[in-house]
Amino acid sequence: MSKVLLALPGLLLPGLFLGEGSVSSWADGSGQGENKEMLRRYCIRCHGRRKQEGKLDLSAFDVDLPEQSAEVAEKIIHKLRAGMMPPPGSRRPEDAAGIAMAEDLERRLDAAAALDPNPGRRSFQRLNRPEYAAAIHALLDLEIDAAELLPLDAKSANFDNIADAQLLSPTLLDAYMTAAAEVSRQAVGDPKAAVATKTYTNPGYVSQWDRVEGAPRGTRGGISVLHNFIADGQYVFKMAFEHTTTGGFFGQTARGEQLEISINGERVALLEVDRWMHVSDPNGVNMETDPIFVRAGPQRVSAAFLRTFEGPVEDLLSRHEWSLVDRQIGVSGYGITALAHLKDLGVRGPYSPTGVSDTPSRRKIFAPRPNGQKEEEAAARAIIERIGSQAFARPIESEDLDAMLGFFADGRAEAGFDYGIRVALQAILSSPDFLFRFEEPADPTSAKGNYLLSDRSLANRLAYFIWGAPPDQELLGLAESAQLGTEQEMLAQSRRLLADPRSSALATRFAAQWLRLEDLERVHPDRLLFPDYHQQLADSMRRETELLFADLVDRDRSILELLTADYSFLNERLARHYGIAGVRGEAFRRVKVVDPNRQGLLGHGSILTLTSHANRSSAVLRGKWVMEVLLGSPPPPPPPDVPDLDETKAAEAGRMLSVRERLEMHRADQACNSCHRMMDPIGLALENYDVTGRWRTKDQGSLIDASGELYDGTPLNSPQDLRGALLNRKEVLVRNFIRNLLAYAIGRRVEYFDMPAVRRISEEAALHGYSLSSLILGVVRSDAFRMSRSAAGEEIK
């Protein structure tokens, strides 16, 4: 008798006893029908065993009635299609047998779902940080940093817009109220503003050897920001510089350093940098300008050093904490010079405010502008009605309008017309109708069981899905005239939204979260081991990946091209890092990628760096990332008390061990082996990339051996092999992408009952080569996007 184990995500299923002949027949592929039957029996005739932690009894599962245990059936389907079942080390049938079994289960589940479709349901959504910033920009033409106003958003299923993870708390509600007050003040302006300081800080990994984005040409380093001045008045700009460990100004050997302060590119001050400053001085290692008059509104403020040299520079402060010098080739020849570094820029004011000039926000708000006090109430009514209707994504009701006019009247009585509008605007931004997206049925009288969502609800879903922002007037107009809800109009509007530049949010919001690009901020490669890594390079890495995805959307390419693209989007900084010649300047442009190891997502520095540790690459993290993000098969968490990969055994060996050698030692622990034999070969195929994504041939002085075997037996020796192995499972890749896209679009986790819809979207998209538009429009067409289901016993009113 032979005992077999079946592994599912997060489950360990005790295998069944089959006769030796049966196992042999199942494993050697003799007979398609026999293989299918053996695999069916393998899945269903498990020993009766009680449920244990991490284990599940499937003795009651009936393969001929998978709909009775649909959740388990969907997990089996995924494992079969991914080739993960049976696990490595077990005898395997032909791959076609597993696919046939999966297809049989799918047909049965899809037929059952057609008889009782379940579009799912979710609670209301609230504006998260990015959505809040986008809504304010659309409403008031004002750029804000929502991270300064609102607490961090919780994530679930990879995304920050999942409704049931968006918990409400008194702290959050207070933050919304405070944000409403500050945003309305920034938008309208404040001629009586008290003096205050806003400080901008350079992260420690920012290099200052080159011009920063937004600063004038001919400068290097420093800080450049878009600052919203609250009123016309005098402002003082304060600069804090890096200093040495002994308190002296960092840059004492730099002679003649000058710091330029500019507003919108025009110089307003030029300061001679005192290289003898010390923290013990009355002003410390700081400088400030005389008061400078600046008008209200958003202005580009730059504090940057004048560039006084030509040629290459090594900015060692941003690279080595212990270094006090930068080497440069200057106009006078080769020398050793310490580059000064700007740490903080403070904007303090306004002193002696004289009023509030016209600003983009004021132009957006004050239309119409009253001519005299007699017209103020009518003008206020028009302003509040227009802004309120846009903020609430519906015509403002008379009761709400009267309430807002009451706020206006109170404010006007206190400080005049502008302040009255500011108070009313604060009330609008504090309203639940602005902060929350409540969804309604199209027909409240028949909203039992499954029901269609109202056109207003669909307008919100569509806009926040594709734009990450509120619906525009065209969408709202169609919703109000009840013309949006038809499939034809929904698809037409989807195409219009995709053609708009705002659809770039699919790259910066959806793709960035799906691919975990925010994790790049958490990895800080060791400055001694990777001296060429700095914040601007990290930003370029992330931008490369976002631009590739945005290009696939813009040109309506296949989602599989994310892995196969023989081109990318690079600037000079990133091209130099990759060793690609012929790219000059700061602007990103499309570049042909000849090296097959650098092609596609698996060759992007963003992915390779975020899956590394500070001092070494990580085959475990890279393998885990591929399994979780691309295949949708996250490995279970490691068992307790299992040590990390460390140098303990390396010390015993008397030398530094390679990642492969340490992994082999780690897998010797049986508690670790079952998961690591799945992840490690994937990560090892990418081992020729170092922590920062550069190609290498050696690790710790030894030649890198990237060979391995995927869990399904496919040999792996390089990133190309891994890419090919993944594309052999393209149905798994596409379905996993659809699951993530659907979750982001509808604001809830995708459940087992959504999988028939996922398969339908995939099948239809296959006819169009899995183009991005076919996948996005498939999501919009789905019941999960256009419908909802009432809770048991609930009536929608």
Side-chain angles (χ1 to χ4, degrees), residues 202-508:
N202 257 334
Y205 266 80
V206 167
S207 168
Q208 301 205 26
W209 70 55
D210 214 342
R211 186 181 76 90
V212 299
E213 184 177 357
R217 300 286 176 181
T219 64
R220 69 155 187 90
I223 297 175
S224 182
V225 295
L226 189 67
H227 179 80
N228 191 62
F229 291 86
I230 196 69
D232 302 344
Q234 302 286 332
Y235 292 84
V236 173
F237 300 92
K238 296 174 172 285
M239 283 69 62
F241 299 89
E242 294 284 359
H243 58 79
T244 66
T245 55
T246 58
F249 170 70
F250 184 88
Q252 285 187 358
T253 59
R255 299 177 182 274
E257 285 275 22
Q258 294 178 306
L259 188 73
E260 178 186 82
I261 312 300
S262 63
I263 305 292
N264 299 327
E266 292 189 14
R267 180 185 295 175
V268 295
L270 184 64
L271 305 180
E272 297 290 336
V273 178
D274 179 6
R275 61 195 182 104
W276 303 113
M277 288 186 290
H278 195 276
V279 293
S280 62
D281 295 343
N283 293 327
V285 190
N286 306 302
M287 298 182 70
E288 65 179 50
T289 66
D290 294 329
I292 297 170
F293 180 80
V294 185
R295 294 194 179 278
Q299 316 286 356
R300 169 66 61 175
V301 180
S302 301
F305 298 98
L306 291 187
R307 196 174 189 90
T308 58
F309 51 81
E310 299 294 336
V313 180
E314 291 189 81
D315 181 8
L316 297 179
L317 178 62
S318 70
R319 295 159 45 164
H320 301 305
E321 293 176 313
W322 46 263
S323 175
L324 299 181
V325 298
D326 293 319
R327 296 184 182 271
Q328 69 179 53
I329 299 177
V331 294
S332 59
Y334 185 86
I336 298 178
T337 304
L339 284 178
H341 286 65
L342 184 63
K343 180 181 179 183
D344 298 325
L345 168 63
V347 181
R348 183 167 178 80
Y351 295 95
S352 306
T354 60
V356 180
S357 293
D358 197 24
T359 68
S361 295
R362 288 178 63 83
R363 288 193 291 272
K364 190 79 177 281
I365 294 169
F366 292 106
R369 188 79 189 180
N371 293 318
Q373 290 186 351
K374 292 183 178 180
E375 298 182 8
E376 286 185 351
E377 188 168 343
R381 177 179 291 272
I383 291 171
I384 293 170
E385 188 169 12
R386 172 176 50 82
I387 294 179
S389 296
Q390 186 179 353
F392 300 161
R394 60 168 174 77
I396 190 170
E397 298 175 357
S398 58
E399 183 178 351
D400 293 330
L401 180 58
D402 290 342
M404 299 304 164
L405 286 171
F407 285 111
F408 162 75
D410 292 342
R412 181 177 64 169
E414 182 178 343
F417 179 80
D418 286 13
Y419 187 72
I421 292 297
R422 173 178 152 185
V423 174
L425 179 59
Q426 180 179 344
I428 290 172
L429 299 182
S430 301
S431 170
D433 289 311
F434 172 70
L435 298 171
F436 304 108
R437 298 200 291 279
F438 301 100
E439 294 186 332
E440 303 170 337
D443 181 7
T445 63
S446 60
K448 293 182 180 180
N450 298 345
Y451 59 87
L452 290 168
L453 293 172
S454 70
D455 282 28
R456 290 177 184 171
S457 302
L458 292 175
N460 270 318
R461 279 201 175 193
L462 200 58
Y464 279 100
F465 170 33
I466 298 178
W467 285 350
D472 63 1
Q473 289 303 313
E474 182 170 339
L475 271 179
L476 293 176
L478 289 168
E480 289 310 309
S481 59
Q483 299 179 54
L484 181 60
T486 66
E487 181 174 311
Q488 181 179 0
E489 191 60 48
M490 284 285 287
L491 296 181
Q493 288 300 311
S494 297
R495 293 187 180 95
R496 179 179 72 86
L497 268 61
L498 284 171
D500 190 282
R502 284 170 284 187
S503 65
S504 62
L506 285 170
T508 59

Side-chain angles (χ1 to χ4, degrees), residues 209-210 534 571-580 583 694:
W209 70 55
D210 214 342
H534 48 78
N571 60 7
E572 181 178 356
R573 178 185 298 115
L574 189 55
R576 184 171 60 245
H577 184 72
Y578 289 161
I580 297 176
V583 181
R694 270 184 167 162

